[in-house]
Structure formats: structure tokens, C-alpha cells
Amino acid sequence: MAVVKARKQDIDMLARLLRAEAETEGEMGMLLVGNVGINRIRANCSDFKGLRTIPQMINQPHAFEALQHGMYYQNARERERRLAQRAVNGERNWPAKFSLWYFRPGTFENPGPCPPTWYNQPQAGRWKKHCFYEPTAEECENVYNTF
């Protein structure tokens, strides 16, 4: 059962984002990126007020660096489609369970340490090279009520 509305082209779009943002982090890393994206749609808070669809979330200005690179514009693959559908169906995993932000510190070859906060929000954890940040209840109580 989907927690956000998603047409086939939305699933393909999210699948392309997962691959472009986190292919080197494995299936779980890509699923975590999907968790953050779906959280942004459902939470309706902070920098993500008014997002209702996968295209709005992905095309939000400055939201995803991957849109500046060619990999995002390649065709979706079945593996990433399955991961995208799992995220759309509401599967959430730590450290992205309630996260609205993530990033990879340092360089690709030499990841740096995760700062304790990002956009003034506390670190929830790290998956391989990516650091995840979830909002405080003061910043976004709604993200904790989206189950």
C-alpha cells in the first residue's frame, strides 16, 4: 500500500534518483535515499512545505546534486524500481527512518566525518559514506507522525 501517490513514471523517476545518489552505497543506501525523499513529501515542514509528489520533491531547487550529473538521466533499471516502490510503500530504515537530510562529507575516495548537526538538525546516523539528519520535534513534529 503506497504512502504517497506514485504513477509508473514517478517510480521510474525515483528509481533514477536512488541510483544516481547512492548506487555505490548498495541497495540499502539507495533505499535510505528513497526514505528521505518520501519523508520530505509526507512531513510537510521545514524546507519541504508544500511538496506533494515525487516530481515536486526531486525537482525542488538545490535538493539533489545528482540532477546535475548524467547518471540521473539514464533509464531506470528494475532493481532500482523495486527499491523505489518499497520506499513509496512506506518501508523506512535507520538512519533515514525520520531523516529529511543526508549528505556525503569529504571526497568520494576519502569520506570525512559526519558533523553532529546539518541545517541545525541532529545527526541520526551514518550509512557507509552518507550522514543522515532528522529534524527535532520542534522543527518538524509531523515527520514523527507519518506512520
Side-chain angles (χ1 to χ4, degrees):
M1 176 87 155
V3 296
V4 297
K5 290 182 181 179
R7 303 164 298 170
K8 181 187 180 304
Q9 59 262 40
D10 299 335
I11 296 294
D12 283 354
M13 189 177 198
L14 182 58
R16 294 188 348 250
L17 180 73
L18 303 184
R19 180 177 175 200
E21 285 280 319
E23 183 176 37
T24 61
E25 305 287 283
E27 287 195 4
M28 180 56 73
M30 290 188 283
L31 184 58
L32 295 174
V33 167
N35 292 166
V36 168
I38 298 304
N39 287 347
R40 288 178 177 185
I41 295 169
R42 297 184 75 210
N44 194 32
C45 65
S46 188
D47 297 331
F48 313 108
K49 287 182 181 169
L51 297 181
R52 296 290 179 267
T53 67
I54 289 171
Q56 287 174 340
M57 177 267 297
I58 290 174
N59 291 312
Q60 185 182 28
H62 314 292
F64 297 103
E65 188 176 318
L67 272 65
Q68 300 171 14
H69 305 290
M71 185 181 286
Y72 173 75
Y73 298 96
Q74 296 175 5
N75 289 331
R77 299 186 303 195
E78 190 55 37
R79 175 177 107 160
E80 288 83 26
R81 281 189 194 101
R82 284 192 305 270
L83 294 169
Q85 188 64 58
R86 285 169 60 186
V88 165
N89 287 349
E91 181 179 331
R92 296 198 289 191
N93 298 279
W94 180 90
K97 188 171 185 173
F98 301 112
S99 294
L100 294 176
W101 300 273
Y102 67 87
F103 85 108
R104 184 181 67 218
T107 65
F108 185 78
E109 296 81 18
N110 297 308
C114 295
T117 61
W118 187 252
Y119 291 102
N120 297 316
Q121 303 305 307
Q123 180 190 357
R126 182 177 195 137
W127 176 261
K128 296 188 180 184
K129 296 178 182 178
H130 283 87
C131 307
F132 290 83
Y133 298 85
E134 64 184 48
T136 62
E138 184 178 285
E139 174 75 20
C140 185
E141 182 178 359
N142 198 41
V143 78
Y144 299 101
N145 299 321
T146 56
F147 274 98

